[in-house]
Amino acid sequence: MEISLTLNGSPVSLTINPGDRLLDTLRYQLALTGTKEGCGEGECGACTVYLDGLPVNSCLIPTYQVRGHRVETVESLDPGALEPFERCGATQCGACTPGVVMTAWWIRQHPELLGTHSIRELMAGNLCRCTGYDGIVDSVAEALRGTGGKRET
Amino acid sequence: MLASDGAAIPMAGGTDLLVHWPVHVEAHERTYVDLSPLDPLKPLRWTADELLLGGLTTYWDVIRDARAGEEFPLLVDAARQVGAIQIQARGTWAGNIVNASPAADGVPVLMAYDAVVVLESRRGREEVPLDRFYSGYKQMQRRPDQLVVGIRIPRRRYAYQVFEKIGARRAQAIAKVGLAVTRSGAGWRVVAASVAPTIRRCPAVERLLETGAAPEGPDDLLPTIAQDVAPIDDIRSSAHYRTRVMARVLYHDLRDFWGQRA
Amino acid sequence: MKRREALAKLTGRERYVDDLPLEGFLWGMTVRSPAPRGRVTAIRFGKDVDWSQFVVVDHRDIPGPNVVALIEQDQPVLAAGYVRHVHEPVLLLAHASREAVRRAVRSVEVAVAPESPALDFRVPPAPDQIQYGSDNVIKHLKIEKGEVERALAGAPVVVSGTYETGAQEHVYLETQGMIAYLEGDVLVVKGSMQCPYYVLKALQHALAREEPLVRVIQTPTGGGFGGKEEFPSHIALHAALLALKGGRPVKLIYDRGEDMAATTKRHPALVRHRTGLTRDGRLVAQDIEVVIDGGAYVTLSPVVLSRAIIHAAGPYACDHVRITGRAMFTNAVPFGAFRGFGAPQSQFAGERHMDVIAGTLGIDPVELRRVNLLRDGQTTATGQVVRDGTDRLAVMERALELSRYREKQREHAAFNATHATLRRGSGLATFYHGAGFTGGGEVALKSRLRVAGSPDGGVEVLSANIEMGQGTLTVFTELAAARLGLAPEDVTIAEADTGRVPNSGPTVASRTTMIVGGLVERAADDLRRRVGLDDSARGAAVKRAIGQWHREHPGEPLFGEAAYEAPPGITWDDKTYRGDAYGAFAWAAYVAEVEVDLRTCSTRVIDFVAVQEVGKVLNPTLATGQVQGGVVQGIGWALMEECKWRDGAMANNQLTNYLIPTSDDVPSVRVAFLENPYPHGAGGAKGLGELPIDGPAPAILNAVARATGVDPRAIPLTPERLMELLD
């Protein structure tokens, strides 16, 4: 089937199968390999992308459901804005990192969330086995400085 | 399609149906009906008497609704403990109801708020109170040709409400025991999850509270609990653990209320 | 220096094996044994599949010996008529469609005539369960010092205890996977791995191929923790066999569930202590028995056992010690390397036992350690004289200070007396970890490394040690740059390609910075000499000289080399297990603060302090990250990571049912380093990668004991188990 959507800011048309997962379409059909598969069951968050501006697990989304919607992957983020993550040790092996960065960047874009949530709670859908999470949480807090958001961890 | 076929499976957020999708090749043969384009089902609505969740309202929709946080804080509590943000953004309350897991997170709080399930089909509209919706493990009062198009929650003043999800870790955990307790003019509602084939109210425990029983410790609640639930040993926990945790949580959370007649 | 490849990882540009473009490839998958033991009586191919469309490989397709070369030649590449564990690979399939090969795997029935499996390593096997030697013991080891029986008999107090640790699954976020293809006559295997030369040796052996006709290249690796030390050789062989038979490139990537169920895990262990002491807590005699479950093939169990017993007596002085170790054969999926490699298991037991001793004697656990911690001039269990000048008491004091241990004890007492349902407590663990291979192991590795000079004046480090998140690329860059006075941009680290890099040894045993980093420094020196400069030359002068050399020798390669040399004065006897087990030990003291909810019996770690002396910290961000990551793995192992077994295989093989900590489950891990440069480690560094996972579990259980008054002896201390202890 043919579907159209907005992908990383541009309109695209794709031929897909009904049984395709968004994660597979991104990685294997579109060669957007920044999004990773870690578990296939929505537990680890390595496959996090934005759907209409919200972070979601692309391993749990049938591609046909995004027709007419907006999808953004890690490839759409501005590398220059990721300096706090470099500096604060957010990444080690890198397998969880694109998913982490997607969720973290979304938090940064919504600093008001820290009025009701902690950074750790918001990041809990992104499993990491290398960092122990401090590097990630510190990076998010650093990224939030200058947005006026609270630095609660 | 639902009316004619019956074998088609409605899909909303996909957070249950797509788990391990590539590995479950037999699931690829089945027919799914994509509900996501049904935009009118997405928003939640407030009326003078009710909060109406749509058939596609997500956990995140409720977390973001300020009034929900004020009037139905258990909905927000439960929603925040479903998986993590990525699941909350996609998972729907209706999907949680029809997935019918005994460990569901949304169902216990909805049930404790006396929610009513609104079903639509070609044959018309039907409403079933959630506490009468389940008849057995994964069995519910929904015909294959019916869609859950809404969930009605009556607006009330609650004198007390608590939701406890006991899992193996703080986020992304399947409940070993879930408890939702409310008290209002309509009486006590005590709803338990993961301790029976279905999520259910605990009428014997509710009666204890209504009649002002005064247990001296958690163990005093065990015989009553045994009338309401039947937990099992499974890959996540044991019946022994579940029963005792339920007793202790009820005992301690409600210690201001034991011994008072309703 | 910031992590060199950080931006590539942050932007998703770093390409792991499943990200690489590959033309015309087939997806490979593995058909596995459904039974823990028995003879394969039939392999039935389902009638609903057109098998002519598939590449099918069995043991008869193996050109060389059907063996995955490691310590013993006991593990087949593919089972040939007999299986010894559930999920043992029997057959390989490949097809262009991943879905088709998934369906095909389900259509193959492997029929096994079952025999009685040995599934509990703690009990002696029944006669019909003997499958290794006469008693299913893969390896016996013993350490003896002094006369332990006599000393125990004369000790004023003897305290005994038995402790258990469960298996642990690595859960590297990138599952295992390999690509194999032919480039002309050369078989190229690329993938996620820690040890390219281990994989090369396995391929050479079973495929009867010599270099240069076989070549192994490590791709960026998304976590290893030991899980990609020896296991990748299997997948490499499987992908290669399919590629050779099918004549097309093959990609073989494990699903998460398959990875968790079918690959190695940390060895489960049972440790018994009998400890003789004076009444004021001085150790007089230690009699320790360590038993580990090796599973159905030898893999690395003898080496894990070795490290376990060497660390079993703890960082303490004691004149009379006997440590015996046994690695048991069972029909479980074989266990393998996991960060710490036996030391976490034996030190969990030892450090929990110290608090049990303290409780029995009525002595403060801190005081007990103060009395017994090794001082310079004293000897370890193997008779190694400790003389590195580290103030081990200061390490402990710093941990107590940063954690406010004493004040917290008072606060907890008040808290626990008044709170209806919560209990708090703090627990201490003091421990150590020897870096590098044991005894003569580093010498036996014969590690070699090169630093090449490029025509543009820059340098390239050629090493087989890989980056898997621990910072190899950055540290090697820093070491080479610092040595030659170059900018980091002038240094490149070569891809770990066996066709280009020498064998600098495996990326294991916390050796990469300390030992291989030392080779980087010496090879850089050698390069400098080859271009006619002395060791004081730096910066622009070095670049100029390298460029000049290339102009004078067009087309010729230029490199400096270094081969491993053992530090002077290290002697080790592998037969008696006496002498200097390691060139250097790192020392640590960790304090965990916990809160236990008596309603649910769940334990939360609410504060964690990790203090260690690791020689010299070369890169604070990387070193801190290693400690924090190791601590959180230790927290998971202690409290929530539980393997549930069915027929010796993991039944809860999915991330919803095998739980690792999320960001919301752990506190910020507060890290401090003490420094005492190690003269034989690169830049003064000692190995650091594994030390942090030795301490958290006993510190946490000691804290729970303090908080609740129970006496836990096993991990994981799940809420269910704690409830049993509390009731």
Side-chain angles (χ1 to χ4, degrees), chain B residues 23 169-170 235-237 241, chain C residues 106 600 644 657 660 720:
Chain B
V23 177
R169 64 182 177 195
R170 277 163 65 107
I235 201 156
R236 279 182 274 280
S237 191
Y241 177 82
Chain C
R106 281 149 181 263
T600 61
K644 308 214 166 141
N657 288 331
I660 68 170
E720 285 80 359

Side-chain angles (χ1 to χ4, degrees), chain C residues 5 155 162 174 251 303 317 343 357 370 380 449 452 586 637 662 695:
Chain C
E5 78 286 6
T162 300
E174 182 214 13
K251 179 151 76 161
V303 199
I357 288 171
R370 190 191 316 281
T380 68
L449 184 146
W637 187 45
T662 69

Side-chain angles (χ1 to χ4, degrees), chain C residues 235-397:
Chain C
I235 310 181
L237 279 163
H238 295 166
L241 285 166
L242 285 167
L244 289 171
K245 186 160 188 184
R248 281 169 65 177
V250 168
K251 179 151 76 161
L252 215 174
I253 310 287
Y254 277 16
D255 293 317
R256 178 62 67 184
E258 176 180 27
D259 196 308
M260 294 177 86
T263 70
T264 57
K265 284 163 210 24
R266 185 185 295 287
H267 290 68
L270 176 71
V271 183
R272 295 192 184 89
H273 277 257
R274 257 190 334 150
T275 313
L277 305 108
T278 63
R279 290 208 182 280
D280 59 357
R282 186 168 299 277
L283 289 166
V284 164
Q286 292 174 291
D287 184 18
I288 307 171
E289 186 193 358
V290 177
V291 189
I292 64 175
D293 187 349
Y297 292 105
V298 172
T299 69
L300 297 173
S301 297
V303 199
V304 172
L305 183 68
S306 168
R307 189 172 278 274
I309 63 166
I310 290 172
H311 289 79
Y316 306 115
C318 182
D319 290 335
H320 306 279
V321 181
R322 177 178 60 206
I323 309 167
T324 58
R326 267 183 296 135
M328 300 303 299
F329 174 103
T330 66
N331 293 97
V333 176
F335 297 97
F338 195 148
R339 194 175 193 172
F341 208 77
Q345 292 96 314
S346 66
Q347 291 198 91
F348 163 74
E351 278 306 285
R352 179 70 197 115
H353 190 56
M354 284 298 270
D355 268 34
V356 168
I357 288 171
T360 307
L361 292 181
I363 290 181
D364 173 26
V366 173
E367 192 52 32
L368 183 64
R369 285 159 174 95
R370 190 191 316 281
V371 165
N372 291 294
L373 273 172
L374 283 161
R375 312 297 203 268
D376 269 15
Q378 294 181 311
T379 59
T380 68
T382 64
Q384 178 167 5
V385 179
V386 175
R387 50 171 116 78
D388 58 8
T390 297
D391 186 347
R392 283 164 281 282
L393 289 185
V395 175
M396 183 175 72
E397 281 304 327

Side-chain angles (χ1 to χ4, degrees), chain B residues 49-249:
Chain B
D49 305 312
E50 289 180 326
L51 165 61
L52 287 135
L53 303 181
L56 292 177
T57 302
T58 65
Y59 298 111
W60 188 248
D61 292 334
V62 168
I63 291 170
R64 300 299 284 149
D65 188 287
R67 221 187 309 183
E70 283 161 20
E71 281 197 40
F72 298 103
L74 299 192
L75 294 183
V76 175
D77 283 351
R80 280 174 72 154
Q81 294 185 63
V82 171
I85 175 67
Q86 291 95 329
I87 301 293
Q88 295 160 19
R90 290 282 293 167
T92 63
W93 297 87
N96 196 241
I97 290 174
V98 301
N99 188 52
S101 164
D105 294 316
V107 172
V109 295
L110 289 171
M111 204 181 280
Y113 282 141
D114 280 353
V116 172
V117 184
V118 181
L119 301 144
E120 282 273 9
S121 71
R122 279 238 175 87
R123 295 187 242 179
R125 185 180 172 102
E126 200 180 324
E127 299 195 356
V128 181
L130 185 55
D131 63 2
R132 288 204 277 283
F133 191 67
Y134 298 110
S135 50
Y137 177 68
K138 297 261 176 179
Q139 289 162 24
M140 61 195 119
Q141 306 303 318
R142 173 191 158 256
R143 294 191 314 271
D145 67 320
Q146 286 178 309
L147 258 185
V148 175
V149 296
I151 304 160
R152 299 172 54 182
I153 309 171
R155 295 173 76 170
R156 273 183 202 146
R157 289 200 50 235
Y158 283 94
Y160 177 77
Q161 49 192 320
V162 72
F163 172 65
E164 300 263 19
K165 172 178 172 176
I166 292 94
R169 64 182 177 195
R170 277 163 65 107
Q172 296 274 58
I174 297 181
K176 298 185 194 182
V177 179
L179 282 166
V181 181
T182 61
R183 185 194 190 192
S184 67
W188 282 97
R189 304 286 183 263
V190 176
V191 180
S194 293
V195 289
T198 67
I199 295 177
R200 59 182 56 173
R201 280 176 59 178
C202 300
V205 176
E206 288 171 0
R207 247 186 333 270
L208 267 193
L209 286 160
E210 304 273 0
T211 57
E216 288 182 3
D219 286 355
D220 282 359
L221 293 173
L222 290 174
T224 309
I225 288 172
Q227 293 175 48
D228 286 335
V229 301
I232 58 171
D233 296 339
D234 67 14
I235 201 156
R236 279 182 274 280
S237 191
S238 68
H240 177 96
Y241 177 82
R242 289 175 154 125
T243 319
R244 269 148 196 78
V245 168
M246 186 171 163
R248 291 169 196 202
V249 171

Side-chain angles (χ1 to χ4, degrees), chain C residues 276-551:
Chain C
L277 305 108
T278 63
R279 290 208 182 280
D280 59 357
R282 186 168 299 277
L283 289 166
V284 164
Q286 292 174 291
D287 184 18
I288 307 171
E289 186 193 358
V290 177
V291 189
I292 64 175
D293 187 349
Y297 292 105
V298 172
T299 69
L300 297 173
S301 297
V303 199
V304 172
L305 183 68
S306 168
R307 189 172 278 274
I309 63 166
I310 290 172
H311 289 79
Y316 306 115
C318 182
D319 290 335
H320 306 279
V321 181
R322 177 178 60 206
I323 309 167
T324 58
R326 267 183 296 135
M328 300 303 299
F329 174 103
T330 66
N331 293 97
V333 176
F335 297 97
F338 195 148
R339 194 175 193 172
F341 208 77
Q345 292 96 314
S346 66
Q347 291 198 91
F348 163 74
E351 278 306 285
R352 179 70 197 115
H353 190 56
M354 284 298 270
D355 268 34
V356 168
I357 288 171
T360 307
L361 292 181
I363 290 181
D364 173 26
V366 173
E367 192 52 32
L368 183 64
R369 285 159 174 95
R370 190 191 316 281
V371 165
N372 291 294
L373 273 172
L374 283 161
R375 312 297 203 268
D376 269 15
Q378 294 181 311
T379 59
T380 68
T382 64
Q384 178 167 5
V385 179
V386 175
R387 50 171 116 78
D388 58 8
T390 297
D391 186 347
R392 283 164 281 282
L393 289 185
V395 175
M396 183 175 72
E397 281 304 327
R398 187 95 179 100
L400 298 175
E401 180 194 353
L402 284 174
S403 62
R404 297 196 306 118
Y405 183 86
R406 297 288 182 214
E407 294 154 70
K408 285 272 173 79
Q409 276 187 304
R410 288 189 289 275
E411 287 171 24
H412 294 156
F415 181 90
N416 294 340
T418 54
H419 204 286
T421 54
L422 297 176
R423 298 286 177 269
R424 290 184 177 169
S426 289
L428 169 68
T430 53
F431 56 101
Y432 63 150
H433 203 92
F437 270 42
T438 306
E442 283 297 332
V443 171
L445 279 175
K446 297 198 181 62
S447 301
R448 286 169 37 247
L449 184 146
R450 286 178 169 174
V451 174
S454 313
D456 66 355
V459 304
E460 185 185 24
V461 177
L462 296 150
S463 133
N465 289 80
I466 59 91
E467 170 71 60
M468 51 178 171
Q470 73 309 32
T472 306
L473 296 175
T474 307
V475 169
F476 281 7
T477 302
E478 286 178 314
L479 287 170
R483 198 68 163 190
L484 298 174
L486 300 176
E489 299 75 58
D490 295 325
V491 179
T492 48
I493 314 293
E495 197 176 32
D497 172 353
T498 58
R500 288 198 70 222
V501 305
N503 188 356
S504 52
T507 308
V508 303
S510 308
R511 62 189 293 276
T512 300
T513 294
M514 177 175 110
I515 292 180
V516 188
L519 297 179
V520 172
E521 291 180 320
R522 288 178 36 226
D525 289 346
D526 189 50
L527 172 66
R528 186 164 34 195
R529 274 175 242 126
R530 283 176 198 257
V531 296
L533 298 173
D534 68 36
D535 288 354
S536 67
R538 299 173 57 72
V542 172
K543 288 186 76 170
R544 258 198 315 274
I546 291 174
Q548 176 68 14
W549 189 97
H550 275 288
R551 280 191 293 282

